[in-house]
Amino acid sequence: MPRTAPPGHTPRFTAYSARLPEGTDAFVFAQYACQAPSREEAAQGAAGLASLFSGPDGPDVVDRGSFLDTAGTHNAVLMAYWYDPHSHRRWRASEAVRSAWDSLPVQGPIGHWREESVIPVERNETLHTHHREDYATSGLSQSAAVELPETQVHDYWGAARDRIAASAIEALEPALPVFEPRDPEASGTRGRRVSVDVPGNVALIRTAQDWSAGTLYREKYLADVKPVKDRGVDFLAENPGSGCIAARNLMEESADGTPLERACTIAWFASLEHLMSWCRSHRTHLDIYASFFQMVGGGEGPLDVAFWHEVSVLPTGSVAAEYLNCDPRTGFLPIAAHHTSTTTARA
């Protein structure tokens, strides 16, 4: 029995949770991005990064999206998954990838950043409203190598923690119990390459919505749920007191940058508890929760807008974060005491 489920709990709807191929102990989720004053410049930079993902050790899955950050800067992001961390390590160490990344300039209006996470399977959980065979998905579970069995561990507060196997034997206490961002005016990250020593047990969420095949619920989602969700993400991005280090509201795109009818939020929290606390008690998330169930409670028929999420808790040393000529509010840069190297590179 899940540790926090109410006695006799029965979920109100069917949901599915990913199961990676047998023998998989960990996988990699990497974000590579270009940051620029215009959407066109960011897209051009992302296209250059995408060319690095080919070859025998390239990622198993690559998604793409873009967002406007709190500084008003455009970011085009490649979201890549490797089911074998060894393949990722070989890819990252290859001469083509190393030389291309190391030669990126740190002068001018364009920046680049990468955040790469080696995620132990026991520290990850997923949840989908639809099976991949019924509704195509992005993210970790889109590969046929990943099974999506039905799960009963959902539809109650704390279910996400219960689906993380490690939470049964580990407290997952954060190395950064309080997130206090540094003053961006004093950071001096422009014109530099900055690596960040990411604290242990930060939490990562990617949560997605897909209305591309929707007919019954499409308009209700776009009118009544999406705006509420967007306000919630804006709150996280602008309020570090929530424990959210970074929040990105991405519109997903095809490989060539064409907008798709789906979106995702990627957010870093100082701990799993910070994420869970926002979900179960903050008005912005309670409003999202209420708007979703108000939408599905109309009885129009089976839900035809798809939702899914991935949540991970990252152990110490499992996240590599590097920022080239980036705004000081980008990613982990606001963590004041954790910049491990700050170097000026060639233009």
Side-chain angles (χ1 to χ4, degrees):
M1 172 65 67
R3 286 162 289 130
T4 59
H9 172 72
T10 299
R12 287 170 286 180
F13 55 94
T14 301
Y16 307 88
S17 189
R19 181 186 297 154
L20 273 72
E22 187 175 354
T24 303
D25 297 321
F27 64 94
V28 172
F29 175 58
Q31 300 173 73
Y32 273 72
C34 179
Q35 185 180 88
S38 71
R39 187 179 186 276
E40 292 74 21
E41 290 170 302
Q44 183 177 358
L49 294 174
S51 66
L52 301 177
F53 287 149
S54 59
D57 288 314
D60 296 285
V61 167
V62 181
D63 296 327
R64 174 171 168 159
S66 62
F67 71 98
L68 192 69
D69 61 28
T70 56
T73 307
H74 293 265
N75 293 254
V77 188
L78 299 165
M79 298 161 278
Y81 295 81
W82 282 260
Y83 300 136
D84 180 2
H86 298 290
S87 292
H88 169 261
R89 193 176 302 119
R90 289 191 299 268
W91 174 83
R92 186 71 186 85
S94 67
E95 175 61 25
V97 173
R98 284 192 300 108
S99 62
W101 183 258
D102 292 346
S103 65
L104 289 170
V106 293
Q107 303 295 331
I110 308 298
H112 295 83
W113 54 267
R114 67 180 178 96
E115 295 168 357
E116 297 174 285
S117 307
V118 181
I119 303 174
V121 171
E122 65 181 9
R123 282 170 165 257
N124 168 260
E125 66 86 13
T126 67
L127 196 70
H128 292 252
T129 57
H130 293 72
H131 197 278
R132 182 178 56 242
E133 295 178 355
D134 301 321
Y135 209 124
T137 184
S138 52
L140 176 70
S141 302
Q142 64 189 279
S143 170
V146 178
E147 298 179 21
L148 273 178
E150 187 174 335
T151 179
Q152 296 298 306
V153 186
H154 72 100
D155 195 25
Y156 61 89
W157 297 121
R161 182 185 290 272
D162 284 351
R163 290 191 299 272
I164 297 174
S167 71
I169 56 174
E170 297 182 52
L172 305 177
E173 294 292 337
L176 183 71
V178 178
F179 170 49
E180 296 178 345
R182 64 164 58 192
D183 180 359
E185 299 301 322
S187 296
T189 57
R190 290 290 191 184
R192 295 179 177 273
R193 288 175 175 264
V194 181
S195 296
V196 180
D197 181 12
V198 176
N201 286 337
V202 292
L204 168 66
I205 182 170
R206 182 181 178 193
T207 179
Q209 311 82 37
D210 187 332
W211 57 96
S212 61
T215 55
L216 296 175
Y217 291 90
R218 175 193 180 91
E219 297 307 319
K220 278 193 171 184
Y221 170 73
L222 293 174
D224 301 332
V225 181
K226 186 177 183 298
V228 181
K229 183 270 295 182
D230 290 344
R231 287 195 294 271
V233 180
D234 289 344
F235 168 83
L236 291 174
E238 297 167 0
N239 290 273
S242 65
C244 184
I245 298 168
R248 300 158 182 157
N249 197 7
L250 292 93
M251 286 299 299
E252 295 195 17
E253 302 164 349
S254 64
D256 65 1
T258 302
L260 301 173
E261 293 184 314
R262 65 191 196 205
C264 73
T265 297
I266 298 177
W268 289 101
F269 285 80
S271 71
L272 179 63
E273 181 54 34
H274 284 97
L275 169 58
M276 296 293 99
S277 178
W278 176 70
C279 288
R280 67 175 173 257
S281 62
H282 196 273
R283 174 50 53 194
T284 52
H285 188 271
L286 295 177
D287 287 346
I288 297 171
Y289 190 79
S291 67
F292 171 80
F293 279 103
Q294 184 175 6
M295 177 185 73
V296 300
E300 285 84 353
L303 180 64
D304 59 2
V305 175
F307 300 85
W308 61 265
H309 74 244
E310 304 162 357
V311 171
S312 305
V313 182
L314 285 303
T316 301
S318 64
V319 183
E322 186 180 15
Y323 306 89
L324 285 60
N325 193 37
C326 285
D327 182 89
R329 289 158 286 196
T330 306
F332 289 103
L333 287 177
I335 301 180
H338 292 263
H339 289 195
T340 58
S341 65
T342 305
T343 58
T344 301
R346 61 183 178 274

